Amino acid sequence: MFDDLVSAIEGLRPVMRADLEELVRIDSVSAAGFDPAPVRRCAVASAAQLEAAGLRGVRLLEVDGAHPAVYGEIARPVAGAPTVLLYAHYDVQPSGPEELWDTHPFDPVEAEGRLYGRGTADDKSGIIIHTGTVRAYGGRPPVGVKVLLEGEEEIGSVHLDQFLAAHRDLLAADAIVVADAGNWDVGVPALTTSLRGLIDCVIEVRTLEAGVHSGMWGGVFPDALSVLVRALAALHDDEGRVAVPGLARGGRPPVELDERSARQHAGVLAGVHAIGRGSITERLWLGPAVSILAIDAPPVAEPINQLVPVARAKVSLRLAPGDDPDRAMDALLAHLKAAVPWGAVVELLPGTTAHPVSLDSTGPSYDAFRAGFRAAYGIDPVDKGVGGSIPFVQAFSDAYPGADLLLTGASDPASYIHGPNESLDLGELHRSTLAEAVALREMAG
């Protein structure tokens, strides 16, 4: 029943590989402070790939001050056929220090069946899954197809509301497939059914008008770094659990992950303890997690014997499904403010918010994708959660409450997204494409 798709995708391997490498070579870092020109260049290259795959009406969607989104479509072949919106994003995280990479982050290199480079997995592979699916049908899929490629996912989809306001009717669909998640393991497919939410803030503490001699005044007045450290330490209890009161927790995860595998996937150093309570997946998917992302302070290489007058840090808090970002932000800010000792002056600046998501994984669209995974992998997919956040999902759930939402993707735990040596198993790319192609046929009935 699917032999034609198997043969088509097998024949597409070279072009899919070439398309992915073309996109990875473009350093489309959307973060503030990076050159926006490569981001736009990647949007243009992605648009050309959509056109080459057979999509029509391909164009850049523009909002003032935003990186462009890319759109293309194929009309429904027959009346009554569903329309499916296929989403991915072409922007990437910064590469970080290049000396931590075994290869250049924007020069894709294959080793042992994996393609290494920033964006190979997150999320330029999602673009290739979608174009590969359309190509497998010769540009004539059995359902209506709309493709949306975002350029700001890695900075929290900051202009997504404006894009939706401007193009709500254009993007409407019966089902939305977000190819920005991943599989349980190489050869073990997954459907992601929950995402944690996200809030973050910047805390700044001041103790002095300016730096003063640490010998003359140390022991009498506090330096700002000591104040900041004590405040940040109050974010966890002695077991490493999040100490901010009132956050949502709990639930039963659909699958479990043993600690040995978790330590291996995360690259945890020998002797470092796990923190918190409960199973690994319970802590990872269904509980909050707080992290210190950055600290502004004098660098160790440039010390001065003075009391540091000001210090700041960025704090990130992941939220369990069921939590409310606005309420959680209030709780985080209040907790940090109360933890600042010795009367130091504190300023708290709230930042990003993203809602947690819990999806109903039943219905015809999910049945179609389960059939697609069985055809491509030979086994049923795992239902799993993800500890990260995808702002797009909640925004589209709110905008199109009648549409089915499905989270898929080709990455695996060894992909190390957002870290050095990000990579993609090329076999997973082809199997994920076949699964999506089969799913569209199943959705067409």
Side-chain angles (χ1 to χ4, degrees):
M1 182 177 179
F2 308 117
D3 289 349
D4 60 324
L5 297 176
V6 173
S7 297
I9 291 171
E10 183 65 28
L12 286 169
R13 283 176 180 258
V15 68
M16 292 171 65
R17 166 76 173 271
D19 282 356
L20 181 55
E21 290 188 350
E22 178 189 24
L23 298 182
V24 171
R25 288 191 177 96
I26 304 173
D27 54 338
S28 51
V29 178
S30 55
F34 287 82
D35 184 359
V39 184
R40 180 167 292 272
R41 190 163 70 249
C42 197
V44 172
S46 298
Q49 291 188 7
L50 294 190
E51 287 186 327
L55 285 111
R56 270 80 81 178
V58 176
R59 56 197 183 272
L60 302 188
L61 304 182
E62 305 275 7
V63 165
D64 286 346
H67 296 300
V70 185
Y71 176 81
E73 64 185 12
I74 298 174
R76 293 182 300 176
V78 294
T83 295
V84 183
L85 176 67
L86 305 176
Y87 167 93
H89 65 87
Y90 67 85
D91 66 317
V92 298
Q93 284 283 329
S95 61
E98 288 191 19
E99 62 268 21
L100 298 179
W101 288 73
D102 295 333
T103 61
H104 190 282
F106 297 106
D107 184 11
V109 174
E110 182 183 353
E112 298 182 348
R114 302 189 70 93
L115 190 68
Y116 288 81
R118 176 59 88 226
T120 51
D122 184 23
D123 179 39
K124 292 172 179 179
S125 63
I127 300 171
I128 306 307
I129 290 171
H130 297 330
T131 56
T133 294
V134 173
R135 287 178 187 272
Y137 285 106
R140 296 182 296 276
V143 298
V145 167
K146 298 178 179 181
V147 174
L148 176 68
L149 309 179
E150 191 186 1
E152 297 189 328
E153 195 277 340
E154 296 293 7
I155 54 172
S157 300
V158 289
H159 292 93
L160 185 56
D161 289 343
Q162 290 97 308
F163 278 109
L164 281 174
H167 304 290
R168 186 175 299 271
D169 292 340
L170 180 71
L171 301 174
D174 300 295
I176 302 169
V177 180
V178 179
D180 190 22
N183 290 324
W184 181 249
D185 206 343
V186 173
V188 184
L191 285 163
T192 295
T193 59
S194 71
L195 298 163
R196 286 196 291 197
L198 172 69
I199 60 174
D200 62 41
C201 71
V202 172
I203 176 174
E204 178 181 284
V205 296
R206 289 181 176 270
T207 57
L208 302 160
E209 294 179 356
V212 296
H213 196 291
S214 59
M216 293 180 64
W217 297 109
V220 177
F221 300 111
D223 66 90
L225 266 176
S226 294
V227 170
L228 181 63
V229 167
R230 291 175 71 95
L232 296 178
L235 291 168
H236 294 92
D237 66 15
D238 290 342
E239 292 185 82
R241 293 176 298 178
V242 178
V244 178
L247 301 178
R249 302 171 184 269
R252 181 179 292 276
V255 290
E256 298 290 356
L257 178 66
D258 65 273
E259 184 172 335
R260 180 180 179 182
S261 296
R263 296 177 71 89
Q264 180 181 357
H265 293 330
V268 178
L269 299 180
V272 175
H273 296 183
I275 59 175
R277 289 182 184 175
S279 71
I280 298 294
T281 51
E282 180 183 349
R283 282 175 273 176
L284 186 61
W285 303 339
L286 303 174
V290 66
S291 305
I292 315 303
L293 301 185
I295 292 179
D296 286 343
V300 172
E302 302 172 16
I304 299 175
N305 282 324
Q306 68 171 209
L307 302 183
V308 175
V310 58
R312 63 183 63 86
K314 185 163 188 177
V315 177
S316 172
L317 178 60
R318 299 285 176 173
L319 305 176
D323 216 336
D324 176 74
D326 292 335
R327 185 185 60 79
M329 182 72 82
D330 290 342
L332 174 62
L333 298 182
H335 185 76
L336 282 170
K337 184 176 182 179
V340 173
W342 305 323
V345 176
V346 58
E347 183 176 7
L348 292 158
L349 303 174
T352 301
T353 63
H355 284 264
V357 173
S358 184
L359 298 174
D360 178 5
S361 60
T362 62
S365 296
Y366 275 89
D367 291 342
F369 266 82
R370 294 184 199 283
F373 282 121
R374 283 194 295 272
Y377 286 83
I379 57 175
D380 285 321
V382 173
D383 281 6
K384 72 181 186 75
V386 166
S389 310
I390 305 176
F392 171 96
V393 176
Q394 184 64 41
F396 268 70
S397 179
D398 292 341
Y400 308 107
D404 295 328
L405 269 166
L406 302 100
L407 301 181
T408 66
S411 66
D412 66 84
S415 291
Y416 296 130
I417 62 173
H418 291 202
N421 299 314
E422 179 182 348
S423 69
L424 179 76
D425 182 278
L426 292 171
E428 291 296 279
L429 177 64
H430 306 131
R431 286 186 287 268
S432 295
T433 305
L434 176 59
E436 183 169 287
V438 171
L440 296 194
R441 182 172 289 176
E442 290 287 313
M443 294 174 78

